[in-house]
Amino acid sequence: MISENNKLSAVQIILGLVYLIMIPVLTLFLSGDWLWVEGWIFGIWLIVISGVTLTYLVQKDPELLKERFKQPGSDNQKEWDKYVIYALELLFLAWIVIMPIDAKRYEWTIDFPFWLKLLGGIELLISFFFLYRSFTDNTFLSPMVRIQTERKHHVVSTGVYGIVRHPMYLGAIFLFIGTPLLLNSQYGLLIGVVVSLLLVARIFGEEKTLVEELAGYEDYKNRVKYRLIPLVW
């Protein structure tokens, strides 16, 4: 007989697999060109990072997988953070939709030089590293700003968390800036900048919560000086 926890895990895996396929297919469909090379590169990147991460969570950290699938407003999430998440979700949808329409279907953006597209591809590689390692290094990587008291939440300071205090945000910013550079979309780049600024703003509220409610975080701040960019900020 399948337990409730196993049923939940099965649902999560199915949703994850659907998510894996849906965005690359939507990107190519909206572009109007199923042979769009840059679109395929982004799609393969997304499938690989999502598939590798999902596999890791299923095998090594199912509790984090459950945490990642919780809806905004769950448990003791900060009230203000619900609206940040809703804004990020809307911006992400707009970003996914506008890039292929801009870059390929209607070609609103004049072609970026090759070196700029190459830079976008390199940023995706850097993004892959920080995103994946954020999951493997921090079992408390909730999508919500909240203290996970039920999981004995404590400060994580090893791995990429010894480089900057918010490595997942760093990986996300590389993703949101690098992808439109690779795909050749100035409007996608604009949305990516807005998302990046929203993530930066979220850091202030998140760190306020962590300092006030998570034991040891103030000491961690003193040891790891930089929030997002090593040697800068």
Side-chain angles (χ1 to χ4, degrees):
M1 188 171 183
I2 300 175
S3 68
E4 288 301 316
N5 284 341
N6 287 336
K7 287 181 181 178
L8 179 60
S9 295
V11 170
Q12 291 171 336
I13 293 168
I14 291 170
L15 289 174
L17 292 173
V18 170
Y19 173 80
L20 277 179
I21 299 169
M22 180 178 66
I23 293 179
V25 170
L26 179 64
T27 299
L28 291 170
F29 172 75
L30 291 174
S31 76
D33 183 359
W34 291 96
L35 300 179
W36 184 26
V37 174
E38 291 88 345
W40 274 97
I41 292 173
F42 170 63
I44 291 170
W45 179 93
L46 189 63
I47 288 173
V48 172
I49 181 64
S50 301
V52 169
T53 303
L54 181 61
T55 300
Y56 171 82
L57 293 177
V58 169
Q59 294 180 346
K60 302 292 186 179
D61 201 346
E63 290 303 314
L64 177 55
L65 180 62
K66 293 176 186 177
E67 179 69 25
R68 298 296 303 181
F69 272 87
K70 287 183 178 179
Q71 295 301 308
S74 300
D75 300 320
N76 58 339
Q77 181 188 15
K78 297 301 178 182
E79 184 69 20
W80 59 265
D81 189 54
K82 289 192 299 184
Y83 302 104
V84 173
I85 288 181
Y86 291 140
L88 288 171
E89 289 176 346
L90 288 173
L91 286 167
F92 179 77
L93 179 60
W95 183 74
I96 285 294
V97 169
I98 199 67
M99 285 190 295
I101 293 175
D102 169 24
K104 201 66 180 174
R105 183 174 289 272
Y106 296 118
E107 298 182 337
W108 295 328
T109 298
I110 298 174
D111 279 348
F112 291 157
F114 174 76
W115 68 265
L116 202 55
K117 294 182 179 181
L118 180 61
L119 177 62
I122 293 171
E123 289 189 30
L124 285 183
L125 293 177
I126 298 171
S127 172
F128 191 112
F129 171 77
F130 279 103
L131 290 176
Y132 180 69
R133 284 295 303 272
S134 295
F135 280 97
T136 60
D137 292 344
N138 185 6
T139 187
F140 304 110
L141 194 65
S142 176
M144 302 176 286
V145 174
R146 78 181 193 91
I147 304 301
Q148 301 165 59
T149 52
E150 76 284 0
R151 298 184 61 207
K152 297 180 173 58
H153 195 170
H154 60 264
V155 173
V156 173
S157 59
T158 56
V160 288
Y161 287 84
I163 302 173
V164 292
R165 299 200 297 266
H166 300 276
M168 188 176 189
Y169 290 166
L170 179 57
I173 289 171
F174 274 117
L175 167 63
F176 281 108
I177 301 301
T179 302
L181 291 180
L182 171 68
L183 298 186
N184 198 87
S185 173
Q186 62 182 1
Y187 294 106
L189 183 59
L190 178 61
I191 296 172
V193 170
V194 173
V195 172
S196 300
L197 292 174
L198 183 55
L199 290 175
V200 169
R202 192 189 195 201
I203 286 175
F204 290 100
E206 184 171 337
E207 290 212 324
K208 183 176 184 297
T209 298
L210 292 170
V211 167
E212 292 175 351
E213 301 181 25
L214 186 62
Y217 196 82
E218 187 68 55
D219 291 337
Y220 170 61
K221 284 180 62 179
N222 293 330
R223 281 184 283 115
V224 179
K225 303 291 185 181
Y226 304 103
R227 297 179 180 92
L228 196 64
I229 306 173
L231 305 179
V232 178
W233 183 75

